[in-house]
Amino acid sequence: MYIWCTPSSEQVFKHTRQWPEDSTALTLHSARNMMVAGQVCLRDVETAFDITGIEVSGLPAAVTADAHLADYGVYNDGVPYPDIVSSKTAVHVPLHVAQSLWVCFRVGYDAPVGTHTVTVTVRTSLGDYGIDWKLTVYPVTLPEPKDSAFGHEYFLNPFGFFPKEPPPKVPPCEPFYTHLRYDEGWWALMAEFARTLKTLRVNSLHVPVMTLLSDGGSRRVSDTEWELKFDLFDQFVEHFLAHGSFRYVTIAAIIASVDGKRMQAIDENGGVSWLEIFTPDCEAWAKAFYGGIYKHFEEKGWLSMLQMRLQDEPHSTEFWKWAKDLCRVCMPGVVCGEPLDTHTISRELVGYCDQYIPRIEVYEEGKDYYLERQRAGEQVWCYSCCYPFEMGWMNKFIDLPPLYSRLMKWACFTHGIKGFLHWGFNHWGRGLYGMDPDARFKGDGFIVYPDAERNSLMLSARGLSTIEGLQDWELLNLLREKNPAAARAIARRVASGFTDLHATAREVEAARAEVLTLLS
């Protein structure tokens, strides 16, 4: 049996072999209130075997651990990608095939400082294998996501797979959850959504508001008036606030993405329809919607959390500026920001946009411009979505190294970027970026996997790497307050930008240890 250990961000394929320098030795470096992970890899060249269980012993106080087998998704290139952080506890491993498993340690606020020996025991049909790792806990504490200076957001899809009424008697649609929207099982699953978002250090709750208003009984009552009912909206938001860790509540855009021209609106029957922008009907609705959101958030005491998205990836500015002008009147002082996929549009929104969110290659195209925006006191985030599709860029595709998801956050720190948005949290459907084997943008629409059997979610390797990167950002930010020159130098050495792909997983782990040592 060949057994070796690697950092969590390494990609271990079925055909991966042990390198001469690989061993079972692994040291994980952690602050308090942090999650760290590593991988155990097994491969046998004489016989197939079964993994039957994984146990972790020797944990210090206030540290917990859980283990996950790597599972695979096969796409149109025929490659089994090790992306699913599975909830399975056993697996058969064929001859000459490598199988990895992740062991994740959650280091609590009261974990004792120092280096601790923990034992990972993998039980197999060929015998049990015990591996000793070192877990070094430093006298440093990470903030909760809601207290972080870095914003992190995903576009949720909490409604698309859950009908309001029982469907016809056909097999349940993917991903095989059988809940109706708002039933007991659905609310329990939404609590899992919130807890997973907290694990992913997501602190911006992206709310698809129109479904909640429509399902909650809102309707148009006259040519210029709407009755907006927020009871269901409040239940949804409060449910996520109770189980997550959010600094922002972000209202999803209701203007048609890219070309604009139309805006979603509540009609007289309580449904959602479209109105043409620049018409009296649409202006009346927009004032009612923006004003109603503002007034309600003010009444709930949530105004400091409110952020607005107006029109996703606008390709002209007339509709976005129209909406922003209305927001200035109806919701004064509220941050309006947008994912921007062209640099031309970014430039045309000067004086309008409060939070620029250029896609990573758009940011690289206009770095000096975005530095000007930062110096002017405006917010600059970044995002990834489908493009740049070419090799040579960090991105979250399954067929790219998951390490890129971690390095993105180092690049953000290097450039003073204060937030990151990735559109796909759980868009599992068919198409270009879903779970379709023919998907062009493999995995871009989701960072978690459905676990219908447990009414839960499974992380991806890209999700684990994202967590590691966000934690690295927090450590660098703490070091910036103490030694800004050192923080900048280390970050630039690891990732000078979104095309800097040279760092290995072991080098990033060493850089984290260096930051933690300086902080100590």
Side-chain angles (χ1 to χ4, degrees):
M1 177 74 75
Y2 291 94
I3 302 177
W4 68 100
C5 298
T6 72
S8 62
S9 296
E10 287 277 8
Q11 202 167 28
V12 180
F13 291 94
K14 289 189 174 186
H15 62 262
T16 297
R17 289 173 170 81
Q18 182 180 14
W19 287 88
E21 62 269 25
D22 288 335
S23 71
T24 57
L26 193 67
T27 300
L28 301 177
H29 301 270
S30 181
R32 289 160 163 167
N33 192 34
M34 188 163 161
M35 189 198 80
V36 292
Q39 291 183 83
V40 179
C41 311
L42 300 92
R43 179 174 174 268
D44 201 276
V45 297
E46 295 182 355
T47 183
F49 63 97
D50 297 313
I51 294 176
T52 57
I54 309 148
E55 296 178 6
V56 183
S57 57
L59 292 170
V63 177
T64 60
D66 50 79
H68 304 271
L69 290 162
D71 205 353
Y72 302 84
V74 180
Y75 287 82
N76 48 17
D77 55 9
V79 178
Y81 288 100
D83 189 55
I84 305 170
V85 182
S86 176
S87 57
K88 296 177 182 177
T89 58
V91 67
H92 177 72
V93 185
L95 183 66
H96 298 301
V97 167
Q99 175 67 49
S100 74
L101 57 94
W102 287 278
V103 182
C104 303
F105 299 87
R106 300 177 190 275
V107 181
Y109 283 102
D110 299 323
V113 170
T115 297
H116 313 278
T117 299
V118 296
T119 300
V120 178
T121 301
V122 183
R123 305 200 181 281
T124 81
S125 56
L126 301 180
D128 296 345
Y129 299 91
I131 301 139
D132 288 341
W133 285 356
K134 302 295 184 184
L135 173 64
T136 300
V137 180
Y138 294 76
V140 178
T141 303
L142 260 60
E144 286 293 308
K146 64 183 177 63
D147 300 318
S148 174
F150 192 85
H152 189 213
E153 183 176 326
Y154 286 102
F155 287 3
L156 303 186
N157 184 13
F159 308 118
F161 301 103
F162 307 98
K164 285 182 66 179
E165 303 297 334
K169 290 185 178 180
V170 296
C173 63
E174 294 176 319
F176 307 113
Y177 296 105
T178 57
H179 310 306
L180 295 179
R181 199 182 301 172
Y182 315 123
D183 70 13
E184 183 179 350
W186 183 88
W187 283 110
L189 180 59
M190 290 304 104
E192 287 297 304
F193 270 50
R195 284 189 282 268
T196 302
L197 291 170
K198 183 178 180 180
T199 297
L200 286 161
R201 296 195 65 84
V202 172
N203 59 6
S204 180
L205 176 61
H206 190 271
V207 183
V209 64
M210 293 300 286
T211 301
L212 293 165
L213 291 178
S214 175
D215 290 351
S218 301
R219 63 189 182 92
R220 186 174 186 169
V221 295
S222 76
D223 288 346
T224 58
E225 294 178 303
W226 280 261
E227 182 182 19
L228 299 181
K229 293 190 175 181
F230 286 97
D231 290 350
L232 186 57
F233 174 90
D234 290 347
Q235 188 179 359
F236 181 86
V237 171
E238 288 166 355
H239 195 66
F240 274 80
L241 293 181
H243 296 284
S245 182
F246 298 101
R247 180 176 180 177
Y248 311 105
V249 176
T250 304
I251 301 299
I254 63 170
I255 297 176
S257 63
V258 183
D259 66 348
K261 299 182 182 179
R262 301 178 302 155
M263 189 180 210
Q264 288 182 314
I266 301 293
D267 62 28
E268 60 275 10
N269 299 314
V272 178
S273 56
W274 292 93
L275 296 175
E276 295 293 320
I277 291 180
F278 302 137
T279 62
D281 263 9
C282 191
E283 183 163 341
W285 157 249
K287 288 178 178 177
F289 175 75
Y290 294 136
I293 292 286
Y294 185 87
K295 180 181 178 183
H296 187 72
F297 270 68
E298 190 174 39
E299 291 171 349
K300 294 290 291 185
W302 294 343
L303 207 51
S304 63
M305 303 175 72
L306 178 59
Q307 293 187 147
M308 296 297 296
R309 306 277 180 255
L310 305 181
Q311 178 198 351
D312 187 47
E313 295 183 338
H315 281 195
S316 67
T317 59
E318 55 182 328
F319 308 110
W320 207 95
K321 288 180 176 179
W322 171 84
K324 173 62 175 177
D325 283 336
L326 290 173
C327 287
R328 282 173 170 156
V329 175
C330 298
M331 40 176 55
V334 172
V335 168
C336 296
E338 209 68 76
L340 302 165
D341 65 346
T342 72
H343 187 50
T344 300
I345 296 299
S346 293
R347 287 189 172 277
E348 292 179 6
L349 288 178
V350 172
Y352 282 85
C353 192
D354 306 308
Q355 185 186 69
Y356 296 83
I357 314 178
R359 200 164 59 197
I360 54 175
E361 87 280 12
V362 175
Y363 176 84
E364 291 283 2
E365 178 188 347
K367 282 185 287 193
D368 292 341
Y369 168 78
Y370 295 109
L371 182 58
E372 290 175 11
R373 305 273 55 82
Q374 291 168 320
R375 288 171 175 165
E378 296 165 351
Q379 295 185 36
V380 176
W381 289 23
C382 270
Y383 83 105
S384 63
C385 174
C386 301
Y387 297 96
F389 185 65
E390 297 76 14
M391 296 296 288
W393 290 87
M394 298 175 190
N395 220 317
K396 290 182 178 287
F397 304 139
I398 287 171
D399 54 353
L400 291 179
L403 179 62
Y404 291 1
S405 294
R406 184 172 184 177
L407 290 175
M408 280 178 169
K409 308 310 177 292
W410 285 80
C412 285
F413 185 87
T414 295
H415 292 284
I417 295 165
K418 292 298 180 69
F420 199 91
L421 183 153
H422 179 72
W423 81 277
F425 180 70
N426 67 309
H427 293 261
W428 296 307
R430 297 290 179 180
L432 292 175
Y433 21 67
M435 296 177 73
D436 192 327
D438 290 325
R440 177 182 177 187
F441 305 105
K442 298 177 180 62
D444 198 58
F446 57 92
I447 202 74
V448 294
Y449 287 87
D451 186 359
E453 182 180 347
R454 293 167 178 79
N455 198 34
S456 186
L457 299 167
M458 295 181 289
L459 284 176
S460 63
R462 296 163 295 133
L464 275 181
S465 200
T466 298
I467 296 165
E468 299 273 29
L470 288 161
Q471 294 176 149
D472 293 338
W473 190 97
E474 297 291 356
L475 293 172
L476 288 163
N477 194 49
L478 290 171
L479 183 58
R480 179 188 59 80
E481 298 172 0
K482 181 178 181 179
N483 189 337
R488 284 195 299 270
I490 296 170
R492 186 168 292 278
R493 188 179 77 224
V494 171
S496 60
F498 294 107
T499 58
D500 189 351
L501 311 178
H502 75 277
T504 67
R506 293 184 188 277
E507 288 170 341
V508 178
E509 290 289 327
R512 172 190 281 182
E514 183 180 354
V515 172
L516 282 163
T517 299
L518 289 170
L519 282 170
S520 300

